[in-house]
Amino acid sequence: MTRTDYGRLVEEKLKNGKVRVRAGVLTATGRLREEKTWECEKLDDELQRKFRNNSEVRITL
């Protein structure tokens, strides 16, 4: 990871009522370095605050 890398979180609401979250680390040019995906019943309070009314959030690392 370098200082120019950044994180991205993407929230997707599924038809079964669950939420899928994809978290990735990208380079400054947008090349994906690492990605993890998980499903949950609902987002915890911290993720809810980060997403607010957005489905995608960029995070400075």
Side-chain angles (χ1 to χ4, degrees):
M1 196 165 63
T2 66
R3 289 181 177 256
T4 58
D5 289 349
Y6 64 95
R8 182 177 68 189
L9 296 170
V10 178
E11 171 194 26
E12 179 184 356
K13 293 185 180 12
L14 303 175
K15 290 181 182 181
N16 64 7
K18 291 186 177 186
V19 178
R20 178 181 295 140
V21 178
R22 289 183 320 194
V25 175
L26 296 98
T27 65
T29 60
R31 186 176 62 83
L32 185 63
R33 286 186 180 266
E34 185 75 32
E35 183 176 54
K36 251 192 204 305
T37 302
W38 68 92
E39 289 184 17
C40 52
E41 297 294 324
K42 68 176 196 154
L43 299 177
D44 64 19
D45 291 341
E46 183 179 349
L47 280 178
Q48 285 180 22
R49 278 192 303 276
K50 286 197 183 302
F51 280 114
R52 292 188 192 124
N53 293 323
N54 302 305
S55 62
E56 187 172 325
V57 178
R58 183 175 171 156
I59 300 170
T60 303
L61 302 176

